[in-house]
Amino acid sequence: MITFVPPPHLLESPRGRDWPAAPAAAPPRTGPPAGADVAIVGAGPAGLAVASALWHLGVRDVVLLDRGGRPCGRFFDRVDTLRQRVLRSPYEHHPGVEGYRDCELLDFARLHWSLLTPVERREIRMAQSGHRSVVPVDVFEAYCRHVSTLHHVDERTWRATVREVRPTRPDEGSAAGATVHGDGFALTARSVVLCLGEERRDAPADWWEGEGTPAGVSYWDEPVPSDAGRLVVVGAGLSAAHLIANALGEGKEVHWVLRAPEERYQCADVNASFFRAEGRARFDGTSWQDRLALMGGHRRASVMFEFRPLMERAEAEGRLTVHRGRAVTGVTPVRAGRSAVLLEGDARVVGDHVVLALGTVVSNGDRLLPSSVVAARDGWPDLDERTLAYRGAPGVFAVGAAAGMVLGPAARNIDGHRVATARVAGAIAAHLAGTSAPLPSEDREIARV
Ligand SMILES: Cc1cc2nc3c(=O)[nH]c(=O)nc-3n(C[C@H](O)[C@H](O)[C@H](O)COP(=O)(O)OP(=O)(O)OC[C@H]3O[C@@H](n4cnc5c(N)ncnc54)[C@H](O)[C@@H]3O)c2cc1C
């Protein structure tokens, strides 16, 4: 059997091109208003998808609240910190609204053909002929800006950290869904959509003594010091792979610590079937235990195939040492400012710097909503499976990773947001219009206008 391994040069793509763009309105300068039809907490790709879908459904009194204040800002900050130049997801996955005549990501890239490199153009032809293709981060960012401008998202995005979401009690009337509280503001909205994404997973408390990260140790979403000649990377996912590739490219010696017996290479981070209706159907009406098992099996860390030749060559040449099947028990300082990663079985790996790429934790709403509303089970919130509203607060919805136990492991991805958005936006528009929700089925995810 011949195994096709895509070449590493597909991982390269220029960043920071001058994309022609429609002038976006300035972000708001005053604090958020006291009321709105809809408040969206989090303006990442999920929040952008929800705001855009609501715009098409005629819901325009929408406020987005985001810590960074820039649509998709955290996503691009994360990929740029890792120097990730291409997306893992293909051209079909984008936060644009399905079922409307918006320009989709592939059309957008083709419209800007003259700005693309020969490799990027070839990838577009691959996408057009139905093959897996690689999308430049630069194209995706320009596209997100385009979607944001088109649906008037910039001027409705406030930089604000939300501290609490207080659902309206039934005796307070049904018009308001919840009040969103932040530093110096409170906003009451008829519907609130939580698009909180995922926080990075921190190391277990017993890996070192004391609060805070020790000197010589950082996480994947932080810059790596340039003077570290020998780097130790812990973790088995794409972030770890980027850190390793960057360090090798700079001539550093790298040690890679993996808990799994071997590294896993695959195209997408979850099996491609979960991006389609038949994959999502595996979560419909399935027992909780079966869903948990599916999640456990399909949310395992993996690396894009394109890294494989690069890693294998570096290992063969002795520039990369892979410690497979080694569980970490701690990190400790050693002499001359170096750090040691302690492994089960009394072994250790010493480096000038240690980077932890331990993945992410789903933000299920528990930092904002009462715990009785989140009703978390194994970390997952209790959501109405048709509308993605919290069962304990029907005016508050979740889009993004938090919807994983309803939509499957792809809920955290850009494509999963479109599926969740169709359900949530349809339910909100119907609620505001005073009709019962014309809930989308898998075949009718957003009605055309
Ligand atoms: C390095 C990296 C690469 C990835 N690549 C891909 C890819 O190629 N394809 C793909 O489909 N997926 C990819 N993913 C998964 C990716 O996280 C999601 O697709 C996307 O970022 C999720 O969007 P989101 O809006 O749910 O979350 P985020 O992008 O994280 O956005 C959530 C926003 O909510 C804000 N927020 C959270 N809490 C609050 C609060 N209390 N108050 C105010 N604001 C708040 C956050 O600051 C953030 O801006 C990648 C993830 C990472 C980390």
Side-chain angles (χ1 to χ4, degrees):
M1 189 181 77
I2 298 170
T3 306
F4 172 66
V5 178
H9 74 259
L10 294 182
L11 298 167
E12 297 302 325
S13 221
R15 191 80 176 95
R17 272 166 279 196
D18 195 12
W19 298 91
R29 292 181 199 285
T30 54
D37 280 342
V38 184
I40 300 172
V41 185
L48 177 60
V50 174
S52 305
L54 287 171
W55 190 89
H56 279 290
L57 291 168
V59 180
R60 306 284 161 87
D61 183 15
V62 176
V63 166
L64 292 101
L65 302 161
D66 189 277
R67 259 191 226 126
R70 181 167 62 102
C72 302
R74 176 160 82 172
F75 178 71
F76 291 110
D77 287 348
R78 282 175 165 175
V79 298
D80 284 338
T81 301
L82 289 167
R83 287 185 254 156
Q84 179 174 342
R85 298 286 184 253
V86 296
L87 292 192
R88 193 170 197 179
S89 46
Y91 270 103
E92 307 89 78
H93 297 188
H94 59 83
V97 186
E98 213 147 78
Y100 293 89
R101 288 201 195 90
D102 284 350
C103 171
E104 297 192 349
L105 179 58
L106 184 59
D107 302 329
F108 181 86
R110 290 172 61 210
L111 275 171
H112 297 94
W113 194 254
S114 63
L115 289 175
L116 304 177
T117 67
V119 171
E120 291 169 340
R121 291 176 185 175
R122 211 198 61 174
E123 288 301 293
I124 288 180
R125 292 199 185 96
M126 296 284 281
Q128 284 179 299
S129 51
H131 294 286
R132 173 181 179 263
S133 58
V134 167
V135 180
V137 166
D138 216 43
V139 171
F140 186 68
E141 187 179 30
Y143 177 75
C144 287
R145 270 205 305 273
H146 165 84
V147 172
S148 180
T149 305
L150 200 68
H151 300 101
H152 303 269
V153 172
D154 299 278
E155 67 252 44
R156 288 182 289 120
T157 304
W158 274 261
R159 180 194 290 271
T161 298
V162 173
R163 307 277 177 205
E164 187 185 1
V165 175
R166 212 175 290 156
T168 311
R169 292 196 315 271
D171 60 314
E172 291 174 317
S174 60
T179 302
V180 176
H181 297 263
D183 297 337
F185 75 92
L187 187 165
T188 300
R190 295 172 71 185
S191 300
V192 173
V193 190
L194 302 187
C195 301
L196 308 175
E198 295 169 89
E199 297 298 324
R200 76 166 183 224
R201 185 183 293 282
D202 287 335
D206 61 0
W207 275 18
W208 53 73
E209 283 175 15
E211 298 283 307
T213 319
V217 181
S218 61
Y219 285 95
W220 58 271
D221 55 353
E222 297 168 333
V224 178
S226 54
D227 57 353
R230 190 192 221 222
L231 197 72
V232 185
V233 177
V234 181
L238 189 57
S239 300
H242 277 290
L243 291 160
I244 293 165
N246 294 341
L248 291 171
E250 290 163 2
K252 295 185 197 310
E253 181 193 345
V254 184
H255 284 252
W256 185 13
V257 181
L258 294 169
R259 189 173 45 189
E262 61 182 14
E263 54 277 42
R264 265 176 103 218
Y265 292 100
Q266 57 181 26
C267 298
D269 55 349
V270 295
N271 184 291
S273 71
F274 288 107
F275 292 107
R276 299 192 293 270
E278 76 265 22
R280 292 192 287 273
R282 294 174 74 186
F283 277 68
D284 264 349
T286 314
S287 77
W288 188 260
Q289 285 314 321
D290 286 350
R291 291 186 216 192
L292 274 184
L294 277 171
M295 272 293 185
H298 289 280
R299 272 191 108 236
R300 279 186 293 151
S302 65
V303 172
M304 272 168 89
F305 263 121
E306 283 78 0
F307 280 90
R308 193 160 150 184
L310 197 116
M311 303 294 219
E312 287 177 350
R313 197 173 54 246
E315 192 178 5
E317 292 170 0
R319 294 179 291 126
L320 171 67
T321 308
V322 188
H323 304 264
R324 298 181 175 86
R326 305 309 300 262
V328 175
T329 56
V331 183
T332 189
V334 288
R335 59 194 150 54
R338 305 184 98 199
S339 300
V341 173
L342 309 177
L343 306 175
E344 253 174 15
D346 224 14
R348 55 172 51 197
V349 185
V350 176
D352 298 316
H353 192 80
V354 175
V355 191
L356 304 176
L358 309 175
T360 52
V361 182
V362 174
S363 299
N364 62 10
D366 63 355
R367 293 184 184 180
L368 304 180
L369 287 163
S371 56
S372 58
V373 167
V374 178
R377 191 172 169 193
D378 301 307
W380 298 98
D382 185 20
L383 302 179
D384 179 303
E385 309 223 339
R386 288 170 8 115
T387 62
L388 299 178
Y390 285 80
R391 261 192 257 266
V396 184
F397 301 80
V399 171
M405 282 305 251
V406 179
L407 297 176
R412 73 183 290 255
N413 295 83
I414 292 155
D415 197 59
H417 304 156
R418 258 210 328 255
V419 176
T421 288
R423 295 190 189 192
V424 169
I428 290 176
H431 170 66
L432 292 174
T435 57
S436 62
L439 284 174
S441 70
E442 286 285 6
D443 307 324
R444 184 169 49 85
E445 287 180 343
I446 271 197
R448 286 171 184 272
V449 285

